[in-house]
Every structure is written in C-alpha cells, then in structure tokens.
Amino acid sequence: MTKGKLRDLSFFLSPMVLMVFLFYLVPLVMTIYISMTRMRNWNVDRYLTEFVGLYNYERLFYMFQHDPTFKAVILTTLVFVGITLMINVFGGLALALATFFINERPASSYRLLWLLPRMSPIAVYSLVWYYFFHGSEIGTLNSILMSLGLISEPIPWGQVTPWGAWSVIIFVNGLVGVSFGMIVFTSALNQIPKELVIAARVDGASSWQISRRILIPMIKWHLLYVLTWQFLSLLTTYPHLFLLVQWDLVNRDYGTTLALYVFNTAFGRGEQDQGLAAAAAVILSIIGILGGFVTLKVLKFERMMKKPRGDF
C-alpha cells in the first residue's frame, strides 16, 4: 500500500476509530475497573479506589446458584433473546419475500404499516400494549375475549409466570425488531437482477421455489448482518421492558433481562450497587462477543470473505 493510499485511508477511518475509542473502549475499560471495586450509590470518593478483585463476579456466581430471582433473570434473557431473534430474522425475511412478489404500491403500504412500531416513540408504543394486555376489564384483549364469552373474568396476562410475561415482552419487542429485518432484506432483494426471477417464472418455478433456490442464497450477507445485529441488539435492549415492568404489566422477575438488571442495579431506586452492575455488564459484553463470533463461524463468514474466482 502506497503512502498516499495509507494517508487517505487514515483520513476516512480516523473519525470512526476515534468514536470507537471514546464511546466503546474507554467505557468498557471503566466498566471493568468499576466491576472490581465496591462502588455503591455513586460514592466515587469512598469506593472508587477500594479494589476488591473478582469479588463482584463471585457474588454473581453465588446468586446464580442460590437466588431464584437472579435465576429467573438469566432464564428470561435466554428465552427472550432466542425466541425474539428468530421472530425478527425469519419474520423480517418472510415479510420481505411476501412484498417482493406483489405490486409496488400495495407492497410499500404494507411495509409502512410494519414500520409504525419502530417509528412510534417508545413510551407511546409501550402504552398501547399496556392497555391491550392490561389484566383488568379495561384491557383490550380481556374486553374482546369476555364479550365473545371465551373467558368469564379478566386474565392478568403479564403476571402469568413464566410464559405469560415472556409472551408479552417477546410480542412487544418482536413487532419492533421484525421491521428492521424487513427493510434490510427488501433492499437486498431489490438488488437482485429481475431477469433471474423472470427466467425462473418462464421455466415454471413457483414463488416458493424462486425464494428458496434464487433469492435466499443471494442474500447470505444480509442474513448474516441481520442475525448478528439483532442478537447484539436484543442482548442489550431494555427500554420497552423497563416501562412494562415499571407499570406492573409483566411480572418483575420474568420480565427482566440481564440488560435491564444491570440498569436497575446501577440506577434503580433504593440501594444502588454499581460494582455488581458493572460485573454483570462485563459478563453481558463477553456473551455478546462470543455470540457474535459463533454466529460468524456458523454462517461461514470466512468462506464469504474469500476472493472471487476469475481474472480480476
């Protein structure tokens, strides 16, 4: 690489490298350090220099063994991330494929409809589902089911543990996440030459056969991107969950993921334990890094990075 190209590359990459350093590496190092202190209630002067090593990590391990509440948090994280990830990826792919085979005007309207949850403010969107799943007669779902005679009394959907609470948080977050995959996959599908689809139609291929043999194999990069991005996003998201738990719509134990646990432990009401929260955040980061690495391995990222064959 010549000096000119190296200079140009440095010029364009330096802003991003600076942002990664300031907003990722520095906070990560600070989090690791705080996780090895007794930091409580943001009393920096007293606790910041009180180094305790791996004590907070030992506390988390002990809680995982003996604390039913923390066990529920870990189990909720696994179920929430796993199921919502499948909904977001495969649901987004299904929506993109469905709108690919219809006229552009109704397809655009259909996509816009699915984008509404993502475009809505978090508080407004969460409030809609708060009243929909409310456990009393004012709840929309209870009202409909009671008027149809399917239930005789209101059901507190989010307080039914564990699957009632899990179903609510998965549904609410799934509607938001599925639109992301839909947009990415729709953009990818629109870049595929139309001649391939037309030729397949001439040969008598059905929409399913075209999707399975032509469209999906040609958007592997986008599948990898959406799967990795959504995994990391779901692992660290908590705004919708925070509101649903604070409003007592869902059970506190089975509506709290590890990301929300970190936030509540560091910034919640009452006793705040930043050392313990930082240790949980470090573990969450390690899980994210390992999960992303496994995703790249399973989807054979290295093979996709090989130089194409030909005379180039």
Side-chain angles (χ1 to χ4, degrees):
M1 181 180 296
T2 63
K3 291 184 177 180
K5 289 185 177 181
L6 183 60
R7 184 176 60 253
D8 294 340
L9 185 63
S10 301
F11 174 77
F12 286 106
L13 287 181
S14 56
M16 183 55 64
V17 171
L18 181 62
M19 290 180 62
V20 170
F21 177 77
L22 291 178
F23 299 108
Y24 180 76
L25 293 180
V26 172
L28 180 60
V29 172
M30 292 177 62
T31 301
I32 294 174
Y33 177 78
I34 293 175
S35 72
M36 297 182 181
T37 68
R38 292 185 183 273
M39 178 75 74
R40 288 176 178 272
N41 299 316
W42 296 107
N43 193 335
V44 177
D45 295 335
R46 178 178 177 182
Y47 295 113
L48 190 60
T49 56
E50 189 175 341
F51 190 77
V52 294
L54 300 177
Y55 172 69
N56 288 314
Y57 296 94
E58 294 172 356
R59 291 172 62 194
L60 286 175
F61 184 71
Y62 180 85
M63 291 167 59
F64 178 72
Q65 290 181 308
H66 301 95
D67 187 352
T69 299
F70 190 70
K71 287 183 179 179
V73 169
I74 300 300
L75 185 58
T76 298
T77 303
L78 295 174
V79 173
F80 170 75
V81 173
I83 297 179
T84 312
L85 180 62
M86 295 300 102
I87 293 174
N88 289 354
V89 175
F90 295 110
L93 179 60
L95 290 174
L97 290 172
T99 55
F100 180 80
F101 291 106
I102 62 178
N103 294 330
E104 184 59 30
R105 178 169 294 183
S108 298
S109 302
Y110 193 59
R111 295 186 197 111
L112 179 61
L113 179 65
W114 279 95
L115 277 174
L116 289 178
R118 181 169 291 275
M119 295 187 296
S120 303
I122 293 176
V124 174
Y125 174 74
S126 300
L127 192 62
V128 169
W129 296 114
Y130 169 79
Y131 282 109
F132 184 84
F133 289 111
H134 199 279
S136 68
E137 295 87 349
I138 68 171
T140 306
L141 182 58
N142 279 328
S143 178
I144 293 174
L145 295 179
M146 291 177 67
S147 63
L148 294 175
L150 298 178
I151 59 175
S152 58
E153 58 183 19
I155 298 176
W157 302 98
Q159 298 297 331
V160 178
T161 58
W163 283 104
W166 289 346
S167 298
V168 172
I169 63 176
I170 289 171
F171 179 84
V172 172
N173 283 270
L175 284 183
V176 176
V178 76
S179 61
F180 176 80
M182 179 190 68
I183 293 301
V184 174
F185 293 137
T186 297
S187 176
L189 292 173
N190 288 335
Q191 302 305 313
I192 297 175
K194 301 295 184 182
E195 291 80 4
L196 296 178
V197 178
I198 295 173
R201 287 293 195 194
V202 171
D203 290 338
S206 64
S207 297
W208 167 245
Q209 291 172 323
I210 293 174
S211 300
R212 186 166 61 94
R213 297 186 179 276
I214 298 177
L215 301 180
I216 295 178
M218 297 187 72
I219 58 173
K220 289 182 178 179
W221 268 108
H222 304 83
L223 278 168
L224 175 62
Y225 168 70
V226 172
L227 183 63
T228 306
W229 177 269
Q230 290 285 30
F231 169 74
L232 296 176
S233 176
L234 290 170
L235 196 63
T236 56
T237 189
Y238 63 85
H240 296 95
L241 304 179
F242 173 78
L243 292 176
L244 297 179
V245 170
Q246 286 295 112
W247 295 339
D248 289 326
L249 178 67
V250 297
N251 179 270
R252 183 169 297 272
D253 295 340
Y254 290 96
T256 300
T257 60
L258 189 56
L260 181 57
Y261 174 83
V262 170
F263 176 84
N264 287 335
T265 304
F267 302 100
R269 298 176 180 176
E271 184 73 13
Q272 298 174 346
D273 194 336
Q274 285 76 41
L276 185 64
V282 171
I283 293 177
L284 195 62
S285 300
I286 294 174
I287 294 174
I289 294 171
L290 294 178
F293 180 77
V294 170
T295 302
L296 297 180
K297 280 292 185 181
V298 170
L299 295 180
K300 300 177 181 178
F301 176 74
E302 305 92 343
R303 184 178 300 179
M304 285 191 276
M305 287 296 293
K306 287 184 178 179
K307 292 184 179 180
R309 296 178 180 179
D311 299 329
F312 299 99

